[in-house]
Amino acid sequence: MKKQAVLFLPFIILVLALLCPAQETPARPMKVKVTAEQANLREKPDIGSAIVQEIPEGTVLEADKKEGEWFFVRYTLEDGGVIGGYIHESLVEAVEQAAAPESVRTTPQMQSAPASFLEFSLSGGAGWTAPRDLNDGAQGFADYHGAFLGFPASGPVDALHLATLVGLELSYRVSPRLSLGLGVDYFWGANRGRVGFTDRVFLETLDTSPSVSAVPVKLSVRFYPGKGFYIRGSLGVYFVKAGYLYRLERGDTWQEWKGTATAHRFGAEAAFGGDWKVGANTSFFVEAGFRMASLSGLSGQDVYRNSDGVTLIEDGTLTYFRKEGADSGVYPLLFIGDSKLAEEGVVDSRQAGINLSGMAARAGIRYRF
């Protein structure tokens, strides 16, 4: 009987061992040191996986586990955030086995992205714009007046094409690849030029100045498909002001028409750019893109004045129309108000359009809080 009990004892021990769950011993993390000049920390244990961070030589990392040829490690950023990722064994060497913790403690939660933070951007640049109706109206006024005098202007009027811009943006970096922002730009351009009308005895000059400005308030999304390179899309409301000036001078006499009109509409932008770190929390960025914004229905005021002290003010809509000149030619004109439309010789009319669409480039500084 005792012999049978002894024979069954190993079997009983084996059954008890299978029935009782074994208590897992937590894996002891290992410390590894980067031996390459620069090691890439990747999202997945794959050489083709996206790079999360570049880690300099000599950095000591804590490896929680190893999957094949890849260590899963933690890396602490300058702002205190912690990221997790995979690094190939050929880029590191084992330093020591970290001691097992004596008591249970909470460890930082692993993130595949850096901690969220705020960024403030200040930028400046230039953009191409083509307010065709403003430019055609200025040239048309010169041609119409030349037909009235009987001899043409000394040359074409200066058209408006280039504008300056400055911008501010506050953005929230939700991951290494994605940023959401709220910003405002100020975009303005004006071009004043002078042409003359002369037959060697008679001399009269004409100053023209088409102008446009816009304040877009916009929401932006910035996406980083690769390190340092991003694509930006923006949608916002454009508050636009357009203006014109026609001033005729002959000796001591002069007369001028000056008008400004405003409106607001939705607009959009698409751009691509790159940024480079120049300080612990500061980066320099450059971007180029395309702006899409076109509107009509601008309302405002036209003010006529002359050297005799006469002032006439008319409110209305910025209007583009064509009028027959003294030589029977038809010339484009642009004014605010309806009084011009009632004059003889007006062929057709419509609300003037202001097209701000065009390419733009900017550079600036982005500061991370």
Side-chain angles (χ1 to χ4, degrees):
M1 189 69 180
K2 290 182 179 180
K3 186 175 180 181
Q4 290 177 344
V6 171
L7 291 175
F8 279 102
L9 184 59
F11 177 75
I12 294 171
I13 294 174
L14 178 61
V15 171
L16 292 174
L18 293 174
L19 293 176
C20 297
Q23 183 177 2
E24 293 185 3
T25 301
R28 299 175 64 190
M30 173 184 292
K31 288 187 177 180
V32 295
K33 183 172 71 172
V34 176
T35 56
E37 182 177 348
Q38 183 171 274
N40 293 328
L41 186 67
R42 300 183 182 273
E43 288 185 352
K44 299 178 182 179
D46 188 287
I47 194 66
S49 178
I51 298 173
V52 176
Q53 183 74 30
E54 294 179 348
I55 303 176
E57 182 180 4
T59 303
V60 177
L61 306 166
E62 191 170 285
D64 290 342
K65 60 181 179 179
K66 188 177 183 185
E67 298 182 17
E69 300 177 348
W70 297 84
F71 287 102
F72 182 82
V73 299
R74 289 177 284 177
Y75 180 68
T76 303
L77 300 170
E78 294 177 354
D79 61 3
V82 180
I83 58 174
Y86 292 88
I87 193 167
H88 195 265
E89 63 180 8
S90 64
L91 305 176
V92 296
E93 64 179 6
V95 177
E96 60 177 297
Q97 193 82 6
E102 296 180 0
S103 59
V104 177
R105 61 182 181 178
T106 303
T107 58
Q109 184 178 1
M110 290 297 94
Q111 304 176 29
S112 60
S116 302
F117 49 77
L118 291 175
E119 293 176 322
F120 175 76
S121 303
L122 174 64
S123 62
W128 182 265
T129 184
R132 182 175 178 179
D133 286 355
L134 283 176
N135 289 333
D136 288 352
Q139 184 62 58
F141 187 94
D143 295 340
Y144 179 84
H145 192 66
F148 172 77
L149 295 175
F151 40 86
S154 56
V157 301
D158 292 334
L160 171 60
H161 292 300
L162 192 64
T164 305
L165 67 90
V166 294
L168 303 172
E169 184 184 66
L170 183 64
S171 56
Y172 182 70
R173 192 76 172 267
V174 297
S175 77
R177 293 176 176 269
L178 186 65
S179 176
L180 306 177
L182 174 64
V184 59
D185 287 346
Y186 180 56
F187 176 91
W188 78 99
N191 200 1
R192 183 158 185 161
R194 169 172 289 192
V195 295
F197 305 90
T198 181
D199 61 355
R200 299 184 181 180
V201 175
F202 173 88
L203 175 62
E204 187 173 49
T205 60
L206 168 65
D207 291 333
T208 60
S209 181
S211 63
V212 66
S213 63
V215 180
V217 180
K218 55 192 180 179
L219 293 172
S220 299
V221 177
R222 207 164 62 241
F223 175 69
Y224 289 78
K227 181 177 175 57
F229 170 76
Y230 64 85
I231 301 170
R232 176 178 64 83
S234 301
L235 179 67
V237 179
Y238 282 64
F239 297 88
V240 178
K241 177 188 288 187
Y244 58 83
L245 169 68
Y246 316 128
R247 181 182 175 91
L248 291 168
E249 295 183 5
R250 183 191 307 173
D252 296 331
T253 63
W254 57 269
Q255 57 179 332
E256 71 173 24
W257 297 260
K258 186 175 183 179
T260 56
T262 60
H264 60 275
R265 293 290 188 278
F266 283 104
E269 295 179 16
F272 64 91
D275 51 24
W276 298 267
K277 193 172 182 180
V278 294
N281 297 309
T282 308
S283 61
F284 172 77
F285 68 92
V286 176
E287 72 171 44
F290 187 80
R291 177 184 57 259
M292 294 162 284
S294 181
L295 67 164
S296 59
L298 290 84
S299 60
Q301 188 175 83
D302 175 88
V303 179
Y304 169 82
R305 299 187 303 148
N306 64 27
S307 53
D308 294 331
V310 175
T311 300
L312 300 174
I313 299 175
E314 183 175 3
D315 296 327
T317 302
L318 186 65
T319 304
Y320 178 89
F321 58 95
R322 298 169 66 83
K323 187 177 180 181
E324 185 176 346
D327 60 352
S328 298
V330 178
Y331 302 97
L333 297 173
L334 181 139
F335 282 93
I336 295 171
D338 298 328
S339 62
K340 296 289 184 182
L341 304 181
E343 295 178 358
E344 185 180 353
V346 174
V347 177
D348 60 339
S349 65
R350 59 172 172 79
Q351 292 182 351
I354 303 299
N355 187 2
L356 300 179
S357 302
M359 301 294 294
R362 71 173 74 205
I365 296 294
R366 186 171 289 124
Y367 180 78
R368 186 178 69 192
F369 294 96

